[in-house]
């Protein structure tokens, strides 16, 4: 049975079996034809989605970008094509995103904004590139100290970034993602971040998952996103401040997995909040109209986040895209049946 690359090995025959990282991404020589084709294709799994993919198509780095979430920055470009998005608290009770693209790379992404002190801890495990518009010198230095290739609008004179005429500044910086990928194609693909199961990974009664139709998350008085389960489409649909959250194509932002993490805020940088990412805390995984409670842990900047159920088992995600809501402990989270 051929499974390969992106450092993944599918264990066992069950649809709920986890994916385990392996040190060798080389496909085996006995690749089998897919469908009617006589051309062998090495199968793999997209490392940031857990979905089946062509091995060769996954052999490129990811691009993480600091994405604006100001009202004047909406709708964001290619937000529904992300693999993983983190939402974080910034100044004034607003939020911004660290969005990561890999399995479905768009030609452009944005609007790109400035870096914050928690972003090195969020982005480092993915490797590849990080795009942002600039930031306070101390935060830029923190990001440049990571192994990531930094793509910085303020320092760029090579045409990687442009300003969109139809958008108001400073919410108008767009990254040419295709060109960024072309220039950095030799970088390694991102490693696996999470454990994936089947399409209903919370079905095991031992996980004590509860039916969920709506997830409500309060970051501050200014930002309170929510998610509604769409059973027909098998996705969560996102709203912000009570209105549907749309991308630049006019589609409502959606996710297969919604992860809610309760996080502490470090105020050592004055008015700039730093989400504490290295540590542990309470977490919920919402998949397929269910929510299971557990904990999250992250041992170091370079380490992935680990989700564990209350019974000690791994909390698995369903194959597909994921949004991770980093809700401060001063905020609130509710799950409606």
């Amino acid at each position: 049975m051929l499974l390969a690359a992106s450092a993944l090995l599918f264990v066992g025959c069950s649809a709920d079996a986890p994916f385990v990282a392996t040190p060798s991404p080389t496909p085996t020589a006995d690749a089998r034809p897919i469908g009617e084709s006589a051309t062998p294709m090495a199968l793999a799994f997209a490392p940031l989605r857990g979905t089946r993919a062509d091995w060769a198509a996954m052999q490129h780095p990811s691009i993480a970008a600091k994405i604006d979430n100001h009202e004047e920055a909406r709708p964001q470009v290619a937000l529904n094509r992300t693999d993983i998005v983190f939402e974080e608290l910034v100044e004034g009770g607003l939020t911004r995103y660290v969005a990561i693209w890999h399995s479905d790379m768009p030609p452009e992404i944005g609007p790109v904004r400035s870096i914050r002190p928690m972003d090195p801890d969020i982005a480092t495990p993915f490797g590849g590139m990080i795009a942002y518009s600039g930031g306070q010198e101390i935060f830029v230095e923190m990001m440049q100290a990571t192994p990531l290739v930094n793509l910085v609008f303020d320092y760029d004179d090579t045409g990687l970034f442009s300003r969109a005429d139809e958008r108001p500044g400073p919410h108008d910086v767009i990254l040419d993602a295709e060109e960024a990928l072309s220039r950095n194609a030799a970088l390694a693909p991102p490693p696996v971040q999470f454990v994936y199961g089947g399409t209903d990974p919370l079905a095991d009664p031992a996980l004590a998952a509860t039916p969920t139709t709506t997830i409500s998350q309060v970051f501050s008085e200014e930002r309170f996103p929510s998610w509604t389960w769409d059973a027909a489409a098998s996705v969560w649909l996102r709203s912000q401040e009570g209105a549907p959250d749309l991308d630049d194509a006019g589609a409502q932002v959606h996710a297969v997995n919604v992860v809610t993490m309760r996080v502490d805020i470090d105020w050592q940088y004055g008015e700039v909040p730093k989400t504490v990412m290295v540590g542990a805390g309470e977490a919920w995984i919402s998949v397929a109209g269910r929510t299971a409670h557990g904990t999250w842990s992250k041992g170091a900047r370079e380490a992935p986040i680990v989700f564990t159920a209350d019974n000690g088992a791994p909390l698995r995600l369903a194959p597909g895209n994921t949004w991770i809501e980093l809700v401060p402990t001063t905020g609130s989270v509710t799950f409606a049946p």
Side-chain angles (χ1 to χ4, degrees):
M1 180 177 183
L2 174 64
L3 295 177
S6 297
L8 292 175
L9 179 64
F10 192 54
V11 177
C13 297
S14 167
D16 287 329
F19 301 158
V20 181
T22 66
S24 175
T26 305
T28 59
D30 60 342
R32 295 179 296 181
I34 305 302
E36 299 298 323
S37 173
T39 304
M41 176 184 292
L43 292 181
F45 290 88
L48 304 186
R49 286 195 178 208
T51 50
R52 286 182 180 269
D54 173 15
W55 182 86
M58 295 294 100
Q59 299 311 297
H60 63 83
S62 58
I63 299 179
K66 192 60 180 285
I67 300 298
D68 200 350
N69 191 33
H70 190 279
E71 285 81 354
E72 293 186 345
R74 304 172 189 169
Q76 292 90 349
V77 179
L79 201 55
N80 266 334
R81 296 177 66 172
T82 53
D83 289 46
I84 299 173
V85 178
F86 293 83
E87 183 171 20
E88 60 185 31
L89 182 71
V90 295
E91 309 92 284
L94 303 182
T95 62
R96 289 185 184 174
Y97 305 141
V98 176
I100 299 100
W101 286 265
H102 179 252
S103 62
D104 181 13
M105 193 67 71
E108 295 181 332
I109 57 180
V112 176
R113 288 300 300 273
S114 54
I115 210 75
R116 291 297 183 270
M118 54 281 199
D119 296 335
D121 293 338
I122 294 173
T124 295
F126 296 91
M129 295 163 272
I130 176 72
Y132 54 100
S133 63
Q136 293 188 28
E137 183 177 0
I138 185 173
F139 305 151
V140 173
E141 290 176 350
M142 289 164 61
M143 184 57 79
Q144 291 181 332
T146 71
L148 307 184
V149 172
N150 283 227
L151 310 175
V152 189
F153 170 71
D154 287 355
Y155 306 152
D156 178 63
D157 59 1
T158 65
L160 273 181
F161 295 88
S162 62
R163 289 191 180 273
D165 293 339
E166 70 278 11
R167 293 176 177 266
H171 317 289
D172 58 349
V173 176
I174 306 298
L175 173 70
D176 185 335
E178 286 185 337
E179 180 62 21
L181 185 60
S182 175
R183 296 183 190 183
N184 296 279
L187 296 174
V192 180
Q193 297 295 305
F194 307 123
V195 179
Y196 294 91
T199 56
D200 191 5
L202 305 182
D204 185 348
L207 298 176
T210 57
T212 305
T213 60
T214 304
I215 308 165
S216 300
Q217 300 144 332
V218 177
F219 284 75
S220 69
E221 293 182 356
E222 302 295 327
R223 290 291 179 266
F224 41 96
S226 62
W227 298 85
T228 302
W229 176 243
D230 183 341
S234 297
V235 294
W236 300 95
L237 298 176
R238 191 169 196 268
S239 296
Q240 294 203 82
E241 293 72 71
D245 186 14
L246 306 180
D247 71 356
D248 63 320
Q252 190 164 1
V253 174
H254 56 267
V256 172
N257 305 288
V258 175
V259 177
T260 306
M261 293 170 50
R262 297 306 300 273
V263 294
D264 291 326
I265 301 296
D266 181 348
W267 293 98
Q268 66 175 298
Y269 299 108
E271 65 177 11
V272 180
K274 178 187 178 183
T275 299
V276 178
M277 293 297 298
V278 178
E282 194 173 18
W284 294 262
I285 305 291
S286 299
V287 184
R290 309 172 192 257
T291 298
H293 180 266
T295 58
W296 67 269
S297 62
K298 179 175 166 67
R301 169 173 291 180
E302 299 78 14
I305 302 167
V306 176
F307 298 110
T308 305
D310 289 337
N311 69 349
L315 274 175
R316 300 176 185 172
L317 304 184
N321 71 315
T322 300
W323 274 68
I324 300 177
E325 303 281 12
L326 303 173
V327 180
T329 52
T330 53
S332 65
V333 182
T334 57
F335 302 87

